[in-house]
Amino acid sequence: MIETLLSLFFDVGIKSFFKKDFRERQALFLCIKDKSEALNDIHILGSEKVLERTLFFICLDVRRSEKFLVLLSDKVIEPQFIGVIRSYKNIYYQIVPINWENTKVLHRLFPFTKPISLRAKKTTFGCGDRIGLATAGHIQAISAYGEVYPVLAQQSIRELNLTKRNYRDIIAEVSFQVFQEGFERGYGADGDHLKTIEDINLALDAEMPMITLDLSDHLHPAVFKWSDDEIVRSFAKLSLDDRNFVIDLFLGKKWEIKGEQYVPSQTEIERCTLIYLEAIRYTKIVDDHLQDRRGHDYDLEISIDETTTPTLPFHHLFVATCLSALNVRFTSLAPRFIGEFQKGIDYLGNINEFRKQFVQHVAIADYFGFYKISVHSGSDKYSVFRIIGDVTRMKLHVKTSGTSWLEALRVVATTDPALYRKIHKKALCFFDTASGYYHVTCQLEKIPPLSEITDGQLVAYLDHDDSRQLLHISYGGILNDLQLRFDFFTTIFENLDMLDRYERENMERHLKKLNGG
């Protein structure tokens, strides 16, 4: 099959390809790429690079449902990648599979394909890709926003377990799509919601420079409801060093930040200490570990949003003050905001109250100056995006993830109604298990039964809040059904152009709203 593609290069003059200047080579490659569209099973994707008389480009084999890198040269190819080197009509070529070992070579030859720290970047946007194929569409959308830096690889341990992938898989898939799209601006990679040093090392071993530290195992939100007497007794049991640490930082101090005054009482200081200090001490351990592993080349995000209670502005100030005093180098902090940031649907809550408290959180971050606010579960929060963008002046990080999975299901609903129906039924069966992983308010009884929906109406399930949440959180059950997984990826590979378009348009909607559109 590859020989059929190579013959196109000969038809348009491959023998003189490497003698041409950049513009002539690019025009010739685009001509060949267009001709490959007429082939049934193999197509050229994206852009190309030439390095030392070797042409590099990505191919799609539809029949085998796989992508691979192709090297083509008029001289013997140096065996750097894993993959058999062959010749065809005096032209040498190599088929390079997408795997971790080949990713390391790609990073060395084309450094722009390797994730970097985005600590110095004002606006960063997390684009989780649960299927390893959505990144091209994400890049196509973000390319139009020159000040936005994407975190293209973003997955939690839970997502890895449910999709049967690992961090090296994630980086490999993203790196080759970055090459495919010729995206040289720079991108991040986030080991999302990690709790242990062991899990953090898995991300670091895959060259992921960003760690989102989930502190929920070290927070004590029950203290919110304790009486003042309980607070006093428990605080007295802490070590003298811990008590002196917080008393020296807060007692008798006053902060005035953008018109808001913070003058904490001793009881409030003690309450915050009992809720947060263990998490703060643990964060210092993690930050020291990151410095040992990566020097200063990392991004640490602090996640205190995995609680049932919104983060009060003074509590945010308490955490940031303590971390700063311990010289923790964090890039962003994610409070739990008022209202509901649920998966796959718009913001739930009083928008005016959200804005009022959000202004305070942003003002606190601006007061310190070295970190930015992070918004988790940012997918589809269109009603508050303008507020978020305006108040932060686009100095922020936003995480999205499952919305890309939903766009892939939109492709299935559009092109293979019978498969979509099977996936929908599987999601219903898996919902009770999935809802143990994610907080959603999905009401199954509000989802129209499949029997009442025509094939042409199936795509509407992707625009209905309850069915969006059902499908959003049930990806693990769907992708762990071997037959459904095979059929799903077969359909996606057969319709990659549509997937790219849906992913691009979805990300464009998010970015446009965030930028005030």
Side-chain angles (χ1 to χ4, degrees), residues 404-435:
S404 299
W405 161 250
L406 292 177
E407 294 308 306
L409 293 183
R410 191 182 299 276
V411 172
V412 175
T414 303
T415 62
D416 192 339
L419 175 58
Y420 175 82
R421 290 179 184 276
K422 293 176 184 177
I423 287 173
H424 191 103
K425 290 176 183 177
K426 184 68 177 184
L428 289 169
C429 292
F430 192 68
F431 179 74
D432 286 345
T433 300
S435 58

Side-chain angles (χ1 to χ4, degrees), residues 250-313:
F250 295 100
L251 191 61
K253 304 292 177 61
K254 179 175 76 172
W255 289 263
E256 184 161 342
I257 302 174
K258 296 283 182 71
E260 295 287 339
Q261 282 196 351
Y262 301 94
V263 188
S265 66
Q266 181 155 344
T267 301
E268 189 172 12
I269 295 167
E270 293 177 357
R271 187 182 300 274
C272 284
T273 302
L274 294 169
I275 295 170
Y276 296 106
L277 189 58
E278 179 188 321
I280 289 163
R281 294 291 194 197
Y282 180 64
T283 301
K284 174 61 174 172
I285 293 171
V286 170
D287 186 54
D288 288 346
H289 180 70
L290 293 176
Q291 289 195 46
D292 288 343
R293 288 289 306 268
R294 292 188 61 94
H296 295 305
D297 185 29
Y298 66 91
D299 303 323
L300 174 60
E301 174 157 303
I302 309 300
S303 169
I304 54 174
D305 66 318
E306 294 291 325
T307 67
T308 57
T309 307
T311 306
L312 298 176

Side-chain angles (χ1 to χ4, degrees), residues 185-392:
R185 185 185 307 166
Y187 74 97
D190 179 10
D192 191 20
H193 276 88
L194 302 183
K195 297 182 177 184
T196 68
I197 297 292
E198 179 183 10
D199 286 345
I200 288 169
N201 283 338
L202 293 176
L204 296 177
D205 290 344
E207 301 182 350
M208 302 185 84
M210 179 175 177
I211 299 297
T212 297
L213 182 61
D214 182 344
L215 292 169
S216 56
D217 288 352
H218 299 275
L219 296 171
H220 301 284
V223 176
F224 276 110
K225 299 181 180 180
W226 287 7
S227 68
D228 289 354
D229 287 343
E230 289 176 294
I231 295 294
V232 171
R233 287 196 301 271
S234 295
F235 185 80
K237 295 176 183 178
L238 297 178
S239 71
L240 181 62
D241 284 347
D242 281 349
R243 283 179 283 154
N244 287 341
F245 173 68
V246 294
I247 292 301
D248 289 347
L249 283 175
F250 295 100
L251 191 61
K253 304 292 177 61
K254 179 175 76 172
W255 289 263
E256 184 161 342
I257 302 174
K258 296 283 182 71
E260 295 287 339
Q261 282 196 351
Y262 301 94
V263 188
S265 66
Q266 181 155 344
T267 301
E268 189 172 12
I269 295 167
E270 293 177 357
R271 187 182 300 274
C272 284
T273 302
L274 294 169
I275 295 170
Y276 296 106
L277 189 58
E278 179 188 321
I280 289 163
R281 294 291 194 197
Y282 180 64
T283 301
K284 174 61 174 172
I285 293 171
V286 170
D287 186 54
D288 288 346
H289 180 70
L290 293 176
Q291 289 195 46
D292 288 343
R293 288 289 306 268
R294 292 188 61 94
H296 295 305
D297 185 29
Y298 66 91
D299 303 323
L300 174 60
E301 174 157 303
I302 309 300
S303 169
I304 54 174
D305 66 318
E306 294 291 325
T307 67
T308 57
T309 307
T311 306
L312 298 176
F314 175 71
H315 290 208
H316 175 177
L317 178 62
F318 180 90
V319 171
T321 299
C322 290
L323 291 173
S324 182
L326 293 171
N327 295 314
V328 173
R329 298 180 76 252
F330 63 104
T331 305
S332 48
L333 185 145
R336 170 67 185 266
F337 300 115
I338 195 168
E340 294 270 4
F341 277 70
Q342 291 189 24
K343 305 296 183 182
I345 61 174
D346 206 342
Y347 173 77
L348 300 175
N350 185 306
I351 292 177
N352 290 329
E353 285 299 315
F354 168 78
R355 181 187 179 89
K356 179 180 177 181
Q357 194 180 85
F358 189 72
V359 165
Q360 292 176 275
H361 283 298
V362 173
I364 291 168
D366 287 347
Y367 169 79
F368 288 91
F370 63 86
Y371 72 92
K372 54 197 171 191
I373 288 293
S374 180
V375 179
H376 287 190
S377 296
S379 302
D380 310 291
K381 303 305 181 287
Y382 297 115
S383 65
V384 292
F385 270 163
R386 182 186 290 270
I387 293 171
I388 291 169
D390 286 349
V391 172
T392 61

Side-chain angles (χ1 to χ4, degrees), residues 92-242:
Y92 298 91
Y93 69 93
Q94 184 178 21
I95 306 300
V96 177
I98 296 174
N99 57 40
W100 176 246
E101 293 303 318
N102 283 333
T103 299
K104 290 190 291 184
V105 180
L106 188 75
H107 288 169
R108 178 166 52 81
L109 295 178
F110 301 99
F112 71 87
T113 65
K114 183 177 180 178
I116 60 173
S117 166
L118 300 177
R119 179 187 297 273
K121 306 306 180 184
K122 179 181 176 182
T123 308
T124 51
F125 197 89
C127 314
D129 179 0
R130 289 173 177 166
I131 63 172
L133 296 168
T135 295
H138 297 162
I139 291 171
Q140 291 164 19
I142 285 174
S143 292
Y145 293 83
E147 299 303 314
V148 178
Y149 286 79
V151 178
L152 296 172
Q154 171 194 287
Q155 297 283 277
S156 66
I157 291 293
R158 175 172 56 199
E159 287 173 308
L160 296 183
N161 290 337
L162 289 172
T163 57
K164 302 302 182 188
R165 301 153 83 205
N166 60 53
Y167 280 127
R168 290 182 171 182
D169 294 333
I170 305 301
I171 295 299
E173 291 158 354
V174 166
S175 297
F176 278 87
Q177 288 181 83
V178 168
F179 177 86
Q180 172 189 314
E181 296 301 312
F183 186 74
E184 300 191 25
R185 185 185 307 166
Y187 74 97
D190 179 10
D192 191 20
H193 276 88
L194 302 183
K195 297 182 177 184
T196 68
I197 297 292
E198 179 183 10
D199 286 345
I200 288 169
N201 283 338
L202 293 176
L204 296 177
D205 290 344
E207 301 182 350
M208 302 185 84
M210 179 175 177
I211 299 297
T212 297
L213 182 61
D214 182 344
L215 292 169
S216 56
D217 288 352
H218 299 275
L219 296 171
H220 301 284
V223 176
F224 276 110
K225 299 181 180 180
W226 287 7
S227 68
D228 289 354
D229 287 343
E230 289 176 294
I231 295 294
V232 171
R233 287 196 301 271
S234 295
F235 185 80
K237 295 176 183 178
L238 297 178
S239 71
L240 181 62
D241 284 347
D242 281 349

Side-chain angles (χ1 to χ4, degrees), residues 471-486:
L471 295 163
H472 191 296
I473 70 172
S474 297
Y475 64 93
I478 295 163
L479 293 177
N480 278 281
D481 182 309
L482 294 182
Q483 188 60 54
L484 281 183
R485 184 186 184 98
F486 177 83

